[in-house]
Amino acid sequence: MGTHVIKMPDIGEGIAQVELVEWFVKVGDVIAEDQVVADVMTDKATVEIPSPVSGKVLALGGQPGEVMAVGSELIRIEVEGSGNHVDIPQAKPVEAAPPSEAAKPQARPTQPQPAACQAPAETVAAPIVPRQPGDKPLASPAVRKRALDAGIELRYVHGSGPAGRILHEDLDAFMSKAQSTAGQAPGGYAKRTDSEQVPVIGLRRKIAQRMQDAKRRVAHFSYVEEIDVTALEALRQQLNAKHGDSRGKLTLLPFLVRALVVALRDFPQINATYDDEAQVITRHGAVHVGIATQGDNGLMVPVLRHAEAASLWANAGEISRLATAARTNKASREELSGSTITLTSLGALGGIVSTPVVNTPEVAIVGVNRIVERPMVIDGQIVVRKMMNLSSSFDHRVVDGMDAALFIQAVRGLLEQPACLFVE
């Protein structure tokens, strides 16, 4: 038998380190070739790491949430044959000492396991010791996830494993004790003193970093305008009734994309990206629209490429495909990068006004609020119209207030007179 070591791969784009998001295997598992063993995250996407070999998992190279360098050891697998890794001969593991000698220091191997790796359970001979105050609890990724799902803080759980490691049995005992002392469930007005700590890792960490960076670097200003979309909604319903079965149903988003494409022809300074370190503004001819999409794990922005060259239904189909890929964490790095302007919509939850954050290095983001029926005065008559607000934000370092207002007014004109969307 030999050892095969999988190192953190070079994912490209000059990335030197990635975040370990989730393990799909544990020490002792027998895995197959091409089986996904872990998810890691770059600045742009989550990437699955498959195993190139079949074998038994010997050690894992980190905990979820850890940032690991490209080339560092990710996982060790016991394989048939010689493998790709040769260990320097080590001293034989020391047998567990009798209780009277358990406190005596033991001889250490001549070549210790890498610090980041979890040693296989069968080779650990360390004595059980209590954790000291302030020490980080030792536990496997599976135990940590189970505790997180159950709302249990591991620092309160006694570990019976080697070096105080918390095992699944320890969690069972802790939960059993909690249930036996809980008594009856508290009523709706019972005083609560519980709290929960949620680690900021994975996609949530990336979102936090990007939002903080955008607010720190971009001189935001927002502009809100209301739009009468009565005629647009009538057109959309008519097109869906006539072509919905053969071409697919249209939502509001492809019409908004079309309005952006047409309006940006007269406002190239808004379809731009700004490299503030190089002090260079790049105005783009292509309109690559980022579609802000909320998934189970957080916000992602897949990119609708070359929206200027596609029909209404082609854009609608691609928006749907990208949204599904983002929500199921199947979007590729290429599908999550390269946008020139972003469109964000909270749909039915859109509220009256929002202040979206510019998706750097872009200089503009257009936010869509919900459609509501309101009484409006038209030609001296009170009529019911379908109204919607656009809440948009801009980078004031690049976009002047007048240009932003004129751009949104151009979008408004196109949406209120939807025939103009298709007049060349």
Side-chain angles (χ1 to χ4, degrees), residues 159-276:
S160 62
R165 182 180 294 273
I166 299 171
L167 309 178
H168 284 285
E169 294 82 354
D170 300 321
L171 278 183
D172 292 337
F174 182 87
M175 289 188 287
S176 176
K177 182 179 179 181
Q179 290 173 357
S180 64
T181 58
Q184 297 182 346
Y189 292 95
K191 182 184 293 186
R192 297 185 60 173
T193 59
D194 58 305
S195 62
E196 179 183 5
Q197 293 181 332
V198 180
V200 180
I201 63 174
L203 180 60
R204 178 52 55 189
R205 177 188 289 175
K206 297 300 180 185
I207 293 172
Q209 291 172 346
R210 287 186 63 85
M211 293 299 101
Q212 180 178 351
D213 185 63
K215 294 297 288 185
R216 178 177 61 86
R217 302 176 70 168
V218 174
H220 281 80
F221 77 97
S222 295
Y223 180 84
V224 181
E225 179 59 283
E226 65 176 3
I227 299 174
D228 186 339
V229 294
T230 307
L232 180 64
E233 277 293 282
L235 174 62
R236 185 180 71 85
Q237 293 174 11
Q238 183 180 12
L239 291 175
N240 282 339
K242 185 175 183 179
H243 301 291
D245 293 337
S246 59
R247 300 186 184 183
K249 297 290 186 180
L250 294 172
T251 66
L252 184 64
L253 286 182
F255 292 95
L256 289 166
V257 168
R258 180 63 186 172
L260 293 181
V261 166
V262 176
L264 286 171
R265 295 171 182 171
D266 295 325
F267 297 91
Q269 70 272 38
I270 291 176
N271 188 44
T273 51
Y274 179 37
D275 185 340
D276 52 3

Side-chain angles (χ1 to χ4, degrees), residues 104-147:
K104 293 183 180 180
Q106 305 291 340
R108 299 183 64 183
T110 57
Q111 177 66 22
Q113 290 275 356
C117 286
Q118 301 171 11
E122 60 270 24
T123 63
V124 174
I128 299 175
V129 295
R131 291 194 306 276
Q132 298 299 318
D135 287 351
K136 180 180 179 181
L138 297 177
S140 68
V143 170
R144 291 185 183 278
K145 184 178 187 304
R146 184 182 171 199

Side-chain angles (χ1 to χ4, degrees), residues 52-117:
V53 297
S54 301
K56 180 180 179 181
V57 177
L58 295 178
L60 305 179
Q63 297 281 359
E66 290 185 15
V67 176
M68 302 181 66
V70 169
S72 61
E73 184 171 317
L74 180 65
I75 186 173
R76 286 192 176 205
I77 303 171
E78 184 181 59
V79 296
E80 297 287 344
S82 58
N84 70 347
H85 183 79
V86 178
D87 285 315
I88 299 174
Q90 301 183 14
K92 294 182 179 180
V94 179
E95 297 294 335
S100 61
E101 300 178 3
K104 293 183 180 180
Q106 305 291 340
R108 299 183 64 183
T110 57
Q111 177 66 22
Q113 290 275 356
C117 286

Side-chain angles (χ1 to χ4, degrees), residues 259-260 263-264 267 270 341 364 366 392 394 402-412:
L260 293 181
L264 286 171
F267 297 91
I270 291 176
I341 188 170
V366 177
S392 305
F394 302 87
M402 178 67 73
D403 290 337
L406 290 173
F407 169 69
I408 294 299
Q409 292 300 328
V411 172
R412 174 188 177 186

Side-chain angles (χ1 to χ4, degrees), residues 30 37 43 47 113 119 161 163 174 195-196 201 298 366 370 378 381:
V30 177
V37 298
D43 288 338
V47 180
Q113 290 275 356
F174 182 87
S195 62
E196 179 183 5
I201 63 174
V366 177
R370 71 171 181 262
I378 299 179
Q381 301 294 318

Side-chain angles (χ1 to χ4, degrees), residues 292-313:
T293 304
Q294 183 67 42
D296 293 338
N297 296 324
L299 181 67
M300 305 182 77
V301 187
V303 181
L304 174 66
R305 297 189 180 279
H306 289 291
E308 80 283 358
S311 69
L312 201 64
W313 276 276

